[in-house]
Amino acid sequence: MSSLPPSQDTANRRTRFAAFQSRDFRLLWIGVFISGIGTQMQFVAINYQVYDMSQSPVALGAVGLFRVIPIIAFSLFAGLVADAVDRRRLLFVTQIFMMAVAAALAFLTATGAVTVWMVYLLTMLGAAAVAFDNPARQSLIPNLVPREHFANAASLNTIAWQGANIIGPAAAGLIIGRLGLATVYWINAASFVAVLVALLLMRTRVPAGGAQTVSFGALKEGLRFVFSTPIIRSTMFLDFVATFFGAAQQLLPIFAQALGVGAEGLGILYSATAIGAVVASVVISFIHQLRRQGPLLLVSVGIYGLATIVYGLSRNFWLTFAALAVTGAADIVSTVIRQTVRQLATPDRLRGRMVSVNMIFFMGGPQLGELEAGVLAGVVGTPLSVAIGGLACVACVLGVGYLSQTLRHYDDERSLDRPPEPAPEPTPAPAPSASPASD
């Protein structure tokens, strides 16, 4: 029983869950949580299926390559679209497209017609939808909650996503072993209904961003802002190099096989990072304000690299589980800091473009890193490949910390070293046949 007076205890709970005061944020949070469970189930199923069909670490690592190609190809354009159209409508389209990809995987697997290259192709199509989905969804959230509640919203979103990371992989391991891969894909297809319903029930009028047209001038404006803002630039670079060298979860099926734990053990190992992340997210939600965010970011990424070394060298199931949990906890601390800093440092009309550039770093790093880990594993062996990646991650943290004075001394929003917001460049008037993007 709480020792605080009822009014103070209630006020504390409201502070911890302040973003939930927004009805539309609650709806989106629930939808993303349910859909996230299906997405994580499918992630495990694809990795399991590719390795089962190929028995090749390189083929398994290539899944990351086929995920990142559409991200690199479409992200910048997707950010422009997210700043020029109704973000809620764009989300509706992307969710339906990803539902269709999951249904196609389910059908091909159930009929026995699936091949590794079919999985690669559908992975690319799903990633193309994600390239448009992420800028729209992340840019939508500041429209649903007051500015002072955004950090809380970021923390709650992290809890939802990482909670899905716990439930999804564990459920996938059970279902793959008992009901088969196709069932996992069907469940993921159905999970997208939760987000679609949330979008339909929203009442908040979501305006389009500030890009009046999808143009090269608008793209240049967004790129100029991102790369001329030191705190955004340095956090994006740190994110990329750390995840490129430290990303190795794609190789978990190989570790599970070496440890002799089967599909169910694989699901538990996939859940470990999310368990660590949720614990860290809950702890962060009790802290009113994280101070000395720059040094804390560097330390958390360094711990991520050290834990990755332990994960690679471990020969014990529970030590591997613990190391993965630590990587999840460290990663979530850095994620909450990075998301809060970037979103609050970016004007609303530029958020879609900022998120799209960030997505290349945030998703490109781990996906290319999974390929690097798979190729290196084929040369020096899987454990040594992961350990080398963790060591390189630590070295990159030391390098970025030494070179970036802005990041090394960053404390709170008042210390943002951000140039004045650039005025939007004039864009040519559209041709008579063109129609401007609607709100």
Side-chain angles (χ1 to χ4, degrees), residues 212-213 215 426-434 436:
Q212 296 178 355
T213 59
S215 65
T427 54
S433 60

Side-chain angles (χ1 to χ4, degrees), residues 225-285:
F225 173 80
V226 167
F227 291 107
S228 64
T229 307
I231 192 62
I232 294 180
R233 184 178 64 234
S234 59
T235 56
M236 285 185 178
F237 180 75
L238 177 64
D239 193 17
F240 179 83
V241 296
T243 54
F244 176 80
F245 290 113
Q249 283 206 42
Q250 197 81 358
L251 302 178
L252 268 177
I254 300 174
F255 281 94
Q257 189 176 80
L259 293 169
V261 295
E264 294 185 10
L266 174 63
I268 294 173
L269 289 177
Y270 268 118
S271 299
T273 54
I275 291 172
V278 168
V279 171
S281 298
V282 171
V283 171
I284 290 173
S285 73

Side-chain angles (χ1 to χ4, degrees), residues 180-227:
L181 287 160
T183 303
V184 172
Y185 295 135
W186 284 123
I187 291 173
N188 184 43
S191 73
F192 290 105
V193 173
V195 180
L196 295 174
V197 170
L199 294 170
L200 288 172
L201 293 177
M202 281 185 184
R203 296 172 183 166
T204 303
R205 183 181 181 275
V206 181
Q212 296 178 355
T213 59
V214 178
S215 65
F216 178 74
L219 172 60
K220 189 165 65 172
E221 179 191 11
L223 290 173
R224 184 191 302 118
F225 173 80
V226 167
F227 291 107

